[in-house]
Amino acid sequence: MSTRPKKKNKKAKASSAVGGPNANGPLVWFGKDGSGVDYSLPATAIAVGDFAFVQHLQAAEVQGFVYELAVGEGAPPPFVGLICGNPQAARAAFDIFHSWSDVTDGDALQLTWCFQANGTYAVFFTPDEARLAVRCLGFERFLRPLLLMPAFCKQVDLVDPTSDATHRFREYCKSWHHPFLFGAVAIEPTRRVASIVRPLIKYQARIVDEAQLPEDSLERRMLSRRARQSKLGELAPKAKPSGSCRDRILEQHFPVTLERIRRPPVSHAI
């Protein structure tokens, strides 16, 4: 019987243990002897934006936009405001926007003006991607963010042909630095426009034409969906007036009664 010690197997045995010294780093498989293989699989984290502002803006009854552009040296920055019928819902939406601004800046809310060929335009409200990642993940660099972003779109179908405020604002935004104030207003019974929220300080806005939108962009998909809904609404059968339906039923089932109603009284006929 041999008394020589058995040689240890130098081959690393595979282990089912998964992990690494840094749980946020790449995925690493370790063997029982400490050796491992780096598969370079980055960890993914989901960053979810606050969806509540969409419901608040829908409840705010946004009727349009107001533009105030002062000219001259030393003039204040332009003001762009939502005309809202429900001030309480508008304040709730802007409370969320200001909470984003407190973490980064006012451009945490991305505003996109999309001008259409028929002279109308749409404005899209979305969280800025980079600032959303900072709010949710901080300055984490090992995680790959997967962003879930809500969006709100306000379509403006009627533009005052006698006013050039929208065109002037578009020209103003062509400069590399174009700060402006973004807020909300309400029209009082005296027809006076009154501010109802603390304005958000914006440093940039996105101005695009509908023809320039990529096919897979969020704005293109929302506009296409709205166009399909409008087309379906036009193709839907229109309900007939209730009066005509009632007359048709009476003529079919009560012809004698209708004839008696239409005839003048006997005393008048003599």
Side-chain angles (χ1 to χ4, degrees):
M1 183 176 181
S2 174
T3 58
R4 290 186 302 176
K6 295 182 180 181
K7 294 182 179 180
K8 294 182 179 180
N9 186 6
K10 295 183 179 180
K11 294 183 179 180
K13 296 182 180 180
S15 173
S16 60
V18 181
N22 184 1
N24 294 334
L27 182 63
V28 180
W29 287 73
F30 287 97
K32 291 183 178 180
D33 60 348
S35 62
V37 178
D38 184 357
Y39 289 97
S40 298
L41 298 178
T44 301
I46 299 178
V48 183
D50 193 342
F51 283 75
F53 82 90
V54 177
Q55 285 77 18
H56 292 321
L57 289 179
Q58 290 173 345
E61 302 174 5
V62 180
Q63 303 166 5
F65 292 84
V66 59
Y67 299 87
E68 182 180 347
L69 289 86
V71 296
E73 185 177 355
F79 173 80
V80 180
L82 298 174
I83 304 175
C84 300
N86 187 348
Q88 184 176 0
R91 294 189 188 99
F94 273 81
D95 287 343
I96 296 177
F97 298 153
H98 280 289
S99 68
W100 298 353
S101 175
D102 293 340
V103 179
T104 54
D105 56 19
D107 286 332
L109 171 65
Q110 179 173 292
L111 297 176
T112 302
W113 271 259
C114 178
F115 290 89
Q116 298 159 313
N118 59 359
T120 62
Y121 65 92
V123 181
F124 297 89
F125 299 68
T126 57
D128 180 76
E129 295 184 6
R131 291 169 175 84
L132 173 61
V134 170
R135 289 199 308 275
C136 295
L137 305 177
F139 293 95
E140 176 65 59
R141 290 296 177 265
F142 291 100
L143 298 176
R144 180 178 59 183
L146 177 62
L147 305 179
L148 298 181
M149 299 197 313
F152 175 79
C153 174
K154 175 56 184 176
Q155 177 71 39
V156 180
D157 292 323
L158 296 176
V159 180
D160 186 1
T162 62
S163 175
D164 62 344
T166 307
H167 176 73
R168 290 169 55 198
F169 179 73
R170 180 176 183 176
E171 293 296 320
Y172 172 78
C173 291
K174 288 183 178 180
S175 60
W176 70 273
H177 183 65
H178 48 271
F180 64 97
L181 300 177
F182 179 68
V185 301
I187 301 179
E188 298 180 344
T190 58
R191 308 304 296 173
R192 188 176 69 91
V193 177
S195 178
I196 57 176
V197 298
R198 179 165 59 95
L200 194 69
I201 302 176
K202 292 280 297 170
Y203 298 98
Q204 60 181 359
R206 185 165 171 248
I207 308 294
V208 297
D209 290 321
E210 185 179 3
Q212 299 174 348
L213 291 175
E215 292 297 329
D216 58 344
S217 64
L218 174 65
E219 295 83 3
R220 174 72 71 180
R221 293 196 298 267
M222 293 185 71
L223 289 176
S224 300
R225 179 182 178 184
R226 185 178 183 276
R228 288 195 301 268
Q229 292 176 346
S230 300
K231 187 175 182 180
L232 290 175
E234 295 176 357
L235 296 177
K238 297 182 179 180
K240 294 183 179 180
S242 58
S244 62
C245 296
R246 182 175 61 252
D247 294 342
R248 188 176 68 255
I249 294 175
L250 290 175
E251 290 176 357
Q252 181 178 358
H253 298 284
F254 304 98
V256 178
T257 304
L258 284 177
E259 185 64 23
R260 289 176 178 175
I261 294 174
R262 292 167 182 165
R263 283 185 178 181
V266 178
S267 58
H268 289 230
I270 298 175

